[in-house]
Amino acid sequence: MAFSLEAALVVPLVMSTWLGLARTALPTYVDVRQSARLEVKALKDANCRDHLYHVQTVSAGPRQTMSLITSPQNLIEIVNLLIDDGRLLISSFSGQSGKSVVEP
């Protein structure tokens, strides 16, 4: 590497930038890890709930956050149940068995 004015300016600048980024890397990693743990815990709680929605406090270590836990699968199952019941009632009132049979 040639010792020039550009090298004398660029090398300390690059080194200080790297040191500054390295100093903030560990706290950022810890924050991202705790956020990921909170998200996993919220999803885990959402999968074992029987409610359509539920508000609770989720905590991981010293951090806490409010979480709205929804259950879209339960909502889909309720809608499908209503649709199936509606079809069953309509077919029973119309006198059809639900299957269309073509006679020759």
Side-chain angles (χ1 to χ4, degrees):
M1 180 166 142
F3 293 106
S4 64
L5 183 60
E6 291 89 10
L9 293 175
V10 170
V11 169
L13 183 64
V14 169
M15 293 298 286
S16 64
T17 303
W18 276 104
L19 289 174
L21 289 175
R23 187 178 51 176
T24 61
L26 185 61
T28 304
Y29 168 75
V30 170
D31 288 343
V32 169
R33 184 172 182 223
Q34 286 181 346
S35 297
R37 287 179 64 200
L38 284 172
E39 184 67 27
V40 167
K41 190 171 184 179
L43 286 173
K44 205 168 147 184
D45 289 343
N47 288 336
C48 66
R49 296 277 179 205
D50 294 333
H51 304 80
L52 290 179
Y53 65 92
H54 181 71
V55 178
Q56 74 174 17
T57 302
V58 179
S59 62
R63 301 199 178 206
Q64 293 182 349
T65 184
M66 294 297 290
S67 174
L68 174 65
I69 298 172
T70 60
S71 179
Q73 183 62 36
N74 285 349
L75 185 62
I76 290 170
E77 289 172 1
I78 289 171
V79 169
N80 285 337
L81 177 67
L82 292 174
I83 290 171
D84 290 343
D85 286 346
R87 287 180 183 163
L88 181 65
L89 288 173
I90 289 172
S91 67
S92 67
F93 286 132
S94 66
Q96 297 177 357
S97 64
K99 296 181 182 178
S100 59
V101 178
V102 178
E103 295 182 15

